[in-house]
Structures are given as structure tokens and as C-alpha cells.
Amino acid sequence: MELNLTVALISSLLTAVIGPIAVHIVKERLEKKSKKDILKESIENNTLVSNKVEEIKEATKADRVWITQFHNGGTFYPTGKSIQKFSMFYETVSQGTESIQASFQQIPISLFSKSINHLLTDDIIAIPNFKDENIATYGLKYIAEESGCKSGYLFAIRSIEGKFIGILGVDYVKHKTNLSIDDINHLLVEATTIGGVINKH
């Protein structure tokens, strides 16, 4: 009888002490696994987007294809409100074409309000010739001159919910290029696909 009572007491004591430790260990392992899965998913998504950017460059024979995404960056001193910015997260260039990615980090959206506002409402900016005075350039002409861009096409990237989250850009540096309606429609679809992947981040 005493032996049974002793065994029961030891069993209760072990359960009281080891139980919480075991729960803690299991919880830690699950959290680590969850963190690894988040990182793995992020790497897989980044690879998908990078591959898509490269595919677009090859399919359109573009010299530069890039993606910018909107994000917060600091706060305004008097109000404490977040400063809306964008950065270029993805870029691929053809041989002999200069990269512009390093120049487009932490850029306040106010510097490109004309083009961003147009994309917000119309989804597309098509500029087959930056030197043609009859084509609206939405404040992008000086950037085109600095980066050597002769033709440029920009597409709004939207989340699954329809929120404007970034821009897909297709640049032609070596030759002026007038994309067909079919090409433009195809790129609109690609921007939608990219939005679905980016939305998972």
C-alpha cells in the first residue's frame, strides 16, 4: 500500500515538474519550425519573382526589368505619421545595360506623385519614345535621361485584395520599342501574377 502511494506521489511530482518542461520544449521546437518555414517560404517567393522578372526580360527583349514595392520608412517630425516610400527589390538587366537598383532605395513617393497617381487609377504608363514631346511622361523624363532609357512601360502591381503594392517596369535602353497591345496585355497579366506572389510575403 505504501509502495503504491510512493509510486503515485513520485509519478505526480514528475508530471508536475517534467510536464511544463516538456510543453516548453515542444513549443520551442514548433516556433523554430514555424520561423524556418517563414524563411523558406520567403526565399521560395523571392526566387519565383526573380525568375518571373528574368522571363519577362527574355520574352519582351527588354534591356531592364524591375519591380518596386511600397513600404513605410521613418516618420514625419511634427505629426509622427509614417513616410510612404518605395524601393526597387528586383531587377535584371541585359548585357551592357546599367543597373539602377542601388539608386532606387527608400524613395519618398512624393517625388514621383504624377506617375504613381496615374498608375493608381489607370494601371499602365506606356512611353514608347521618351523624346517624343507629344507623349505624356508623367514626370519620368529626367529619370529616363539619367538611366539612358529610350522607351519605358510601367504596370501597377496589386495585391489579391486590389491594393496598389508596387510597380513592374520594363525599360528599353538600346532601341526605342513600341510594344503591341498584346504585349501590354500580357504584361498586365504578369503584373497580376507577381502581385499574387508578393502578397504572400
Side-chain angles (χ1 to χ4, degrees), residues 91-171:
E91 181 194 41
T92 183
V93 295
S94 64
Q95 191 171 3
T97 300
E98 184 182 343
S99 170
I100 60 171
Q101 186 171 14
S103 301
F104 285 90
Q105 300 300 317
Q106 302 285 332
I107 308 294
I109 62 170
S110 59
L111 295 178
F112 291 90
S113 57
K114 275 187 183 178
S115 55
I116 290 172
N117 195 43
H118 183 80
L119 287 168
L120 181 63
T121 56
D122 291 346
D123 286 334
I124 304 169
I125 292 176
I127 308 168
N129 183 358
F130 272 102
K131 291 193 175 176
D132 187 337
E133 299 294 330
N134 297 315
I135 298 174
T137 58
Y138 304 97
L140 298 172
K141 192 169 189 171
Y142 78 97
I143 294 295
E145 288 171 357
E146 283 185 14
S147 64
C149 184
K150 291 182 169 65
S151 304
Y153 298 85
L154 285 71
F155 302 86
I157 297 173
R158 297 190 183 277
S159 69
I160 294 166
E161 297 81 21
K163 291 180 182 173
F164 186 22
I165 59 173
I167 300 168
L168 166 65
V170 179
D171 295 346

